[in-house]
Amino acid sequence: MSEPLRPSDRTRRARRRAPGRPFGPAVRGAAARRTAAVLAAAVLLPLAACQSPGDGGGDGGALVFWTPHVTPDRLAQQEATAAAFTEQSGVDVDVVPMSAEDQNQSMAVGSASGDVPDVVLLAPDQAAAWSAQGVLDTGTAAGIVEDLGPDTFGENALDMVTFDGTPAAVPSDGWGQVLVYRADLLADAGLDPPRTLEDVADAAEELDGDGRAGIALGTRPGDPFTTQTLEALLLAGGCDLVDGAGEVALESPECVDALDAYARMAEASVPGDQDVETTRAAYLSGEAAMLFWGSHIFDELAGLAPDFPPTCPECADDPDFLASESGTVGALTAPDGSPVQYGLTLNLGIPVGADAENARAFTEYLMGPGYVESLEVSPEGRVPVRPGTPDDPDVHAEAWSELPTGEDPENRAPLSDFYGDAVIGGIVEGAQSFRRWGYGTEHAAFAGPLAAQNTLAKQVGPLFEGEDPATVAASMADAARAVQADNE
């Protein structure tokens, strides 16, 4: 087979500077939904702050549950689960939709006055910060984990919220960055599915040409999606944020090599700075042979998201084409042989001052009888990190695979209708390999702001313009040390 035609290096560098191309009304629709969600959270914030959750269900008041799932359909699903708990226990639950940012603001005010929620669905960086501030009832969380069985949780997910040997929250679910590839195109090129970071870079270069990019992945400097992509790729390359002495380690050979692989992928990516919207559109339209994206992509590939339909040339005659011809890799294999997948988890935390008894009962319900129903809020983005129970280790994972997904109420269907056991199993197995820099260690207070501020993603622009990866690594390390100095 002849090598695919590629533009010259000069042309490729020029196209990296070109602005990202618009991909139609889907982008505008997503922006409108995000705006609506933010406005809804802003309206609800003062309402939540006016409640007195510390009095809780134990005194006849309602238990207060903060959730970052704020869209109407997801809110309705969570309210239904809460109602089922109320029917079983007699304890009312107020489900309060609130973004993570608003949670942080309200918790800072409420913890000072003793006016806190009873249960919060929170991220690992929030668990780290609130635990360090003494806001979370870690004893109750640890007791729940012990009762449910520590071995029933993904080890990495539990580690992300464990500090000084004690879980600060109970891991619930999460989503991970996955590599999606056109299996037909890899087969035509005689390539095996990528397993390592270097494999991905090699395949991207090989598949780039004939009017199709080798891969689509985040490259817009300073963008949150680039922050996720950068950390995911560097983790897969064996790059650590800090070394054993607690010093920033981003100038290590592993980090430099991982940045080099990232640069090679960027050269084989879609022209222009790419973000979460443009990368998805490129793969759905057939303009990219591979995609590095979150697990939320699975309903789009299956045609279950009306705002983001597959539009590849083959999709006109076969709407299921991309779902049937796409393979996935969850955890990539790091240089030390370990599986690594960047993942964002959600966890159930109980603040100090909450109605601990009823909060514990509600949390155990959400992780037990109501667990699968909770995941139904968004199955493609809420992958179980508690796959089963001590008696049936896979019961939750198996039930999850049959949950209906999709944004169209009239067209929801389980992922197992579109994907084989290997893909479904890979999603769940990958969730047990979720990893993040610093989380679950004394460096979490530094790693959280580093990601939230998109610090490292602001330094990668020169990498895509041909700058030496070692120089970019040094710039990233300097920026990281400044954040570390401010937060440790």
Side-chain angles (χ1 to χ4, degrees):
M1 178 179 295
S2 61
E3 183 179 2
L5 297 175
R6 297 190 179 91
S8 68
D9 287 344
R10 179 178 300 176
T11 302
R12 296 174 69 82
R13 289 183 180 175
R15 78 178 192 180
R16 295 290 332 140
R17 298 188 184 96
R21 290 172 291 175
F23 285 94
V27 174
R28 295 192 294 273
R33 283 194 301 277
R34 286 196 300 271
T35 301
V38 170
L39 290 174
V43 170
L44 286 162
L45 177 59
L47 297 178
C50 292
Q51 301 182 54
S52 298
D55 294 335
D59 294 330
L63 207 70
V64 175
F65 172 47
W66 286 359
T67 172
H69 294 291
V70 301
T71 56
D73 56 336
R74 297 181 182 186
L75 180 59
Q77 179 65 51
Q78 294 170 101
E79 289 174 335
T81 303
F85 169 75
T86 298
E87 183 176 355
Q88 179 190 88
S89 66
V91 178
D92 290 332
V93 179
D94 282 344
V95 180
V96 180
M98 189 180 297
S99 69
E101 181 180 0
D102 288 337
Q103 286 180 4
N104 291 336
Q105 294 172 357
S106 291
M107 187 64 76
V109 174
S111 60
S113 63
D115 185 12
V116 296
D118 296 288
V119 182
V120 185
L121 194 59
L122 48 78
D125 59 320
Q126 292 175 289
W130 294 356
S131 175
Q133 295 162 10
V135 172
L136 291 179
D137 181 349
T138 58
T140 297
I144 294 171
V145 170
E146 188 61 33
D147 285 351
L148 295 176
D151 291 342
T152 65
F153 293 89
E155 182 178 356
N156 286 5
L158 191 57
D159 284 346
M160 282 189 196
V161 292
T162 298
F163 309 98
D164 296 326
T166 302
V170 181
S172 172
D173 56 86
W175 63 267
Q177 291 281 82
V178 297
L179 178 74
V180 182
Y181 59 86
R182 285 278 297 274
D184 57 328
L185 297 179
L186 258 71
D188 289 346
L191 299 173
D192 293 327
R195 295 301 173 194
T196 68
L197 187 63
E198 286 297 318
D199 289 345
V200 179
D202 290 344
E205 291 178 332
E206 182 67 25
L207 295 170
D208 186 37
D210 294 334
R212 181 185 288 112
I215 192 170
L217 77 170
T219 59
R220 185 181 299 279
D223 186 75
F225 186 58
T226 302
T227 291
Q228 296 170 6
T229 302
L230 175 64
E231 184 175 340
L233 295 179
L234 267 59
L235 280 168
C239 171
D240 292 322
L241 177 62
V242 296
D243 60 22
E247 300 295 328
V248 171
L250 293 174
E251 294 171 276
S252 69
E254 292 82 2
C255 297
V256 173
D257 288 346
L259 285 173
D260 180 67
Y262 191 5
R264 291 168 57 200
M265 293 180 210
E267 284 288 320
S269 184
V270 179
D273 294 335
Q274 298 300 308
D275 59 22
V276 66
E277 307 285 3
T278 61
T279 50
R280 170 176 54 195
Y283 191 82
L284 292 178
S285 66
E287 294 182 24
M290 297 190 294
L291 172 68
F292 204 57
W293 223 73
S295 59
H296 301 81
I297 193 65
F298 290 109
D299 60 336
E300 279 98 331
L301 293 178
L304 298 175
D307 288 342
F308 309 107
T311 58
C312 66
E314 300 88 347
C315 298
D317 295 327
D318 181 7
D320 295 336
F321 177 81
L322 281 183
S324 62
E325 292 296 334
S326 293
T328 62
V329 179
L332 291 169
T333 302
D336 65 1
S338 65
V340 178
Q341 183 175 10
Y342 172 100
L344 294 174
T345 63
L346 288 174
N347 311 269
L348 293 160
I350 299 173
V352 172
D355 177 359
E357 181 179 354
N358 285 318
R360 178 171 185 153
F362 183 53
T363 300
E364 290 181 343
Y365 180 84
L366 291 178
M367 295 304 303
Y371 188 41
V372 174
E373 186 178 16
S374 297
L375 302 178
E376 191 174 354
V377 167
S378 175
E380 73 284 356
R382 300 196 69 177
V383 184
V385 295
R386 188 180 185 234
T389 67
D391 295 331
D392 193 343
D394 298 316
V395 62
H396 297 147
E398 292 172 355
W400 169 84
S401 71
E402 298 300 325
L403 290 176
T405 187
E407 297 179 11
D408 183 358
E410 305 298 322
N411 191 34
R412 288 171 63 83
L415 293 177
S416 58
D417 282 2
F418 301 90
Y419 304 101
D421 291 343
V423 171
I424 296 295
I427 298 171
V428 176
E429 289 174 12
Q432 315 318 309
S433 302
F434 284 168
R435 195 177 299 179
R436 289 294 306 279
W437 276 334
Y439 287 5
T441 74
E442 67 271 25
H443 305 295
F446 150 49
L450 187 74
Q453 298 164 15
N454 301 306
T455 302
L456 301 185
K458 295 173 183 176
Q459 307 297 319
V460 297
L463 180 71
F464 308 138
E465 301 296 338
E467 183 63 83
D468 180 56
T471 301
V472 176
S475 297
M476 288 171 48
D478 287 342
R481 291 187 188 101
V483 176
Q484 184 181 40
D486 290 339
N487 291 277
E488 285 194 350

